[in-house]
């Protein structure tokens, strides 16, 4: 089996001072090893993040940066590591234990500004409500911080996380590092921009209709949407209204697995000895056997030994069809072909292509319509239903973005019976979510239908048209949230202008680790 060469180890010329310009020299896994080995300090890593954020401020990735708090926490982490490093001949074993208890130790990150982080303002991306400065972290932020991560700020989001582009009236829009004239996606657009630009090695996000996968795909990153109820800090619910789950964004599937293991509350264990060629290489570089979580082990085993052959379904049919005309850009089709080619080369069996999406060359249908009936109407009702109950005052309504105000009005005007019917129909679909997979192990779709539009393009449209065009841009993501299944986007193609294109891989309940392992082998292929 062929392997992608390991990313370069952190440049030793850069890891003994604060002159690193960003994190693109290596992966988060390498920075983790370098910190525990003593090749770089947490203060240096935090300084790199802060310096890169300042240098790349034109990208609008951050709504808030707290350099003082980040450097203070980094200094505390350095002190802890210093105590462990000075403990004598058992130092290596103690560092391994430290990597198990605090697997993100020293790594900078940032939460989107929909998540409470103690001492940092939470704006929800709106001017209609005053910002709050919470006294404690949200549960997920607390979990990630306990794992040793250092929050350097809050990243840009759209108002209340509603659209798939990260623009609001509070600050400059988030821009795509691959082409700053274009959007970085949303609603974790600032987080994706920060990772793609090397300001952060990885970032947690949340996904209610594609808000991890869309910006990850737009910026050329891996984004995982776990299944509903998989993460302990998400809503413990089977209700279809609970669309939002938390998930990782990273450059590689291996880094996404590291963050997913933390977010999932997995136990990290130090292996008795390094397993596999890549693991032995890391031990030789770091001098420390690093603890691994289940997703990391699945990824590394797949990279070393491959995966058992999977049955792969393929569709270009969108749940928004036939109500919306979904047309795939040539590069979206090319990305699908490249992704399928990699899967075939890895020994997996392709077992079907669907008729939808006007994608040339992808014809033939092995099954009836995959998706819930009347999806376009029902999803809009579900997506906007809670806004009608938000109780905005007249002054607050005036300050809302036109799209948000449109959603509020739609929700308020819609008969409750219609909303209840939509909710019931989609709830029923979620009960039978795995029916879309049939005999397949995974289902592959395109991710984005066309290239990330210019900044301001969506917002320049009439609000009703704005929403329709967002659906056309992201025709395969929201249905996965409705069904509650896990999915990952995998970058597989770069077009002539340097923009990245992904495929989406949907799995069965509880198969997040396998999806990450599959994504890792596709990146390596």
């Amino acid at each position: 089996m062929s392997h992608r060469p390991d990313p370069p180890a952190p440049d030793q010329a850069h890891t003994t001072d604060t002159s690193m310009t960003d994190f693109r020299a290596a992966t988060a896994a390498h920075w983790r090893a370098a910190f525990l080995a003593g090749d770089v300090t947490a203060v240096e890593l935090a300084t790199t993040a802060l310096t890169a954020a300042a240098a790349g401020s034109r990208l609008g990735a951050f709504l808030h940066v707290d350099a003082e708090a980040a450097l203070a926490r980094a200094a505390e982490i350095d002190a802890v590591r210093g105590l462990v490093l000075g403990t004598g001949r058992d130092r290596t074993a103690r560092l391994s234990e430290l990597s198990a208890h605090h697997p993100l130790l020293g790594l900078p990150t940032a939460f989107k500004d929909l998540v409470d982080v103690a001492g940092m303002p939470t704006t929800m991306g709106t001017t209609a409500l005053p910002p709050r400065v919470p006294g404690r972290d949200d549960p997920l932020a607390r979990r990630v911080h306990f794992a040793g991560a250092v929050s350097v700020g809050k990243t840009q989001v759209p108002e209340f996380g509603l659209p798939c582009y990260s623009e609001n009236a509070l600050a400059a829009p988030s821009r795509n590092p691959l082409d700053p004239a274009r959007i970085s996606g949303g609603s974790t657009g600032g987080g994706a921009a920060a990772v793609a630009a090397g300001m952060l090695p990885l970032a947690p996000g949340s996904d209610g209709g594609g808000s991890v996968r869309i910006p990850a795909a737009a910026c050329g990153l891996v984004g995982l949407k776990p299944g509903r109820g998989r993460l302990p800090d998400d809503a413990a619910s089977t209700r279809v209204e609970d669309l939002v789950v938390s998930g990782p964004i990273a450059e590689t599937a291996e880094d996404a697995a590291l963050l997913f293991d933390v977010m999932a509350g997995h136990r990290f264990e130090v292996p008795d000895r390094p397993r596999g060629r890549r693991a032995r290489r890391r031990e030789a570089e770091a001098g420390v056997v690093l603890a691994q979580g289940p997703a990391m082990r699945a990824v590394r085993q797949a990279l070393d030994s491959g995966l058992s052959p999977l049955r792969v379904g393929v569709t270009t049919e969108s749940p928004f069809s036939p109500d919306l005309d979904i047309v795939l850009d040539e590069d979206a089709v090319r990305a699908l072909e490249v992704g399928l080619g990699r899967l075939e080369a890895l020994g997996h069996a392709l077992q079907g292509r669907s008729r939808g999406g006007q994608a040339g060359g992808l014809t033939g249908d092995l099954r009836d319509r995959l998706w819930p009936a009347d999806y376009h109407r029902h999803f809009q009702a579900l997506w906007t239903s809670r806004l009608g109950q938000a109780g905005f005052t007249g002054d607050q309504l005036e300050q809302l973005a036109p799209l948000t105000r449109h959603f509020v009005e739609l929700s308020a005007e819609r008969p409750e019976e219609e909303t209840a019917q939509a909710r019931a129909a989609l709830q029923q679909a979620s009960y039978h979510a795995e029916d879309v997979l049939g005999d397949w192990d995974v289902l592959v779709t395109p991710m984005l239908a066309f290239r990330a539009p210019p900044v301001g393009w969506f917002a320049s449209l009439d609000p009703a048209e704005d929403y329709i065009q967002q659906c056309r841009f992201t025709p395969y993501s929201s249905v996965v949230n409705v069904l509650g299944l896990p999915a990952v986007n995998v970058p597989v193609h770069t077009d002539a202008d340097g923009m990245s294109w992904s495929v989406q891989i949907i799995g069965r309940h509880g198969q997040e680790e396998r999806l990450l392992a599959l994504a890792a082998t596709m990146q390596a292929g």
Side-chain angles (χ1 to χ4, degrees):
M1 175 180 174
S2 64
H3 295 277
R4 182 183 66 170
D6 276 355
D11 187 343
Q12 292 302 311
H14 288 170
T15 55
T16 56
D17 57 37
T18 59
S19 65
M20 295 183 293
T21 57
D22 62 44
F23 289 100
R24 287 175 289 189
T27 65
H30 278 100
W31 292 118
R32 179 189 184 217
F35 170 75
L36 286 166
D39 295 330
V40 65
T41 68
V43 167
E44 289 171 353
L45 292 173
T47 300
T48 296
L50 295 166
T51 301
S57 60
R58 71 189 181 101
L59 293 175
F62 284 88
L63 268 171
H64 175 76
V65 174
D66 193 336
E68 182 177 358
L71 292 171
R73 176 165 167 77
E76 292 172 356
I77 290 172
D78 282 335
V80 170
R81 189 195 58 175
L83 291 173
V84 176
L85 284 172
T87 55
R89 62 183 180 181
D90 292 332
R91 184 186 73 170
T92 299
R94 293 181 184 233
L95 284 171
S96 293
E97 291 178 9
L98 191 62
S99 77
H101 293 301
H102 304 288
L104 298 180
L105 198 64
L107 294 183
T109 193
F111 287 88
K112 63 198 292 186
D113 200 21
L114 305 178
V115 176
D116 280 352
V117 174
M120 294 188 189
T122 300
T123 70
M124 306 296 287
T126 185
T127 59
L129 303 175
R132 297 178 294 103
V133 181
R136 61 180 182 178
D137 291 342
D138 273 346
L140 178 63
R142 183 164 61 247
R143 186 181 298 277
V144 171
H145 289 153
F146 181 79
V150 177
S151 280
V152 299
K154 304 287 285 293
T155 57
Q156 177 65 293
V157 293
E159 190 168 59
F160 302 120
L162 292 170
C164 68
Y165 53 96
S166 296
E167 303 170 27
N168 58 45
L170 286 168
S174 177
R175 297 176 178 273
N176 196 319
L178 301 178
D179 180 353
R182 298 183 178 275
I183 65 169
S184 63
S187 63
T188 319
V195 174
M199 301 173 192
L200 300 173
L202 38 68
S206 58
D207 190 316
S211 293
V212 162
R213 292 159 290 153
I214 294 165
C219 295
L221 306 170
V222 173
L224 173 72
K225 185 208 87 69
R228 184 158 41 238
R230 177 65 197 269
L231 297 194
D233 298 315
D234 289 340
S237 167
T238 60
R239 298 186 312 164
V240 74
E241 303 98 298
D242 294 317
L243 295 167
V244 180
V245 297
S246 304
I249 293 177
E251 182 183 354
T252 68
E254 187 170 5
D255 286 350
L258 166 63
L259 184 51
F260 172 71
D261 275 329
V262 169
M263 297 171 77
H266 289 162
R267 180 183 177 87
F268 279 70
E269 297 179 343
V270 180
D272 294 334
R273 62 178 301 277
R275 299 174 183 175
R277 184 173 57 196
R278 293 165 67 93
R280 288 193 294 273
R281 234 180 257 141
R282 284 191 185 83
E283 183 193 27
E285 290 170 1
V288 178
V289 180
L290 299 183
Q292 302 171 13
M296 294 179 68
R297 288 194 295 273
V299 165
R300 292 181 179 179
Q301 182 177 358
L303 288 171
D304 283 323
S305 305
L307 283 170
S308 298
L310 300 176
R311 295 163 297 182
V312 180
V314 187
T315 187
T316 56
E317 174 193 325
S318 168
F320 291 113
S321 299
D323 300 283
L324 297 183
D325 186 24
I326 305 300
V327 180
L328 298 180
D329 187 278
E330 289 184 6
D331 280 298
V333 176
R334 176 60 181 151
L336 185 59
E337 293 171 343
V338 170
L340 296 178
R342 290 186 188 179
L343 289 167
E344 284 189 299
L346 290 165
H348 305 298
L350 303 187
Q351 296 187 340
R353 291 184 172 95
S354 155
R355 65 181 178 275
Q358 296 189 20
L362 296 175
T363 59
D365 203 6
L366 296 185
R367 48 177 60 202
D368 296 329
R369 177 179 171 86
L370 289 173
W371 310 116
D374 207 7
Y375 180 80
H376 178 46
R377 181 170 65 90
H378 287 162
F379 180 73
Q380 186 181 62
L382 183 69
W383 186 244
T384 60
S385 61
R386 290 181 175 175
L387 285 171
Q389 305 164 9
F392 293 112
T393 67
D395 288 343
Q396 289 170 339
L397 283 171
E398 287 300 314
Q399 294 183 67
L400 293 176
L403 179 67
T404 309
R405 191 162 56 247
H406 172 64
F407 284 165
V408 172
E409 292 167 353
L410 281 178
S411 180
E413 294 167 1
R414 185 181 299 113
E416 177 54 36
E417 181 181 348
E418 184 177 333
T419 300
Q421 181 188 41
R423 187 182 297 117
L426 295 179
Q427 183 72 64
Q428 190 66 22
S430 75
Y431 288 148
H432 302 280
E434 292 191 4
D435 287 356
V436 302
L437 291 164
D439 295 331
W440 302 327
D441 296 306
V442 296
L443 174 62
V444 179
T445 74
M447 186 61 226
L448 302 177
F450 50 89
R451 185 183 295 192
V455 170
W457 181 74
F458 283 119
S460 71
L461 303 173
D462 172 82
E465 183 65 16
D466 179 355
Y467 175 73
I468 288 172
Q469 291 301 330
Q470 289 185 66
C471 295
R472 286 178 169 146
F473 176 50
T474 63
Y476 306 98
S477 59
S478 64
V479 71
V480 188
N481 296 78
V482 167
L483 296 175
L485 296 172
V488 66
N489 78 280
V490 188
V492 293
H493 170 59
T494 302
D495 67 25
D497 295 319
M499 300 302 292
S500 182
W501 296 82
S502 288
V503 294
Q504 174 178 244
I505 307 177
I506 305 167
R508 297 183 182 275
H509 291 297
Q511 293 297 311
E512 289 84 354
E513 290 86 352
R514 180 157 71 176
L515 289 178
L516 288 166
L518 184 59
T521 59
M522 291 177 69
Q523 285 189 298

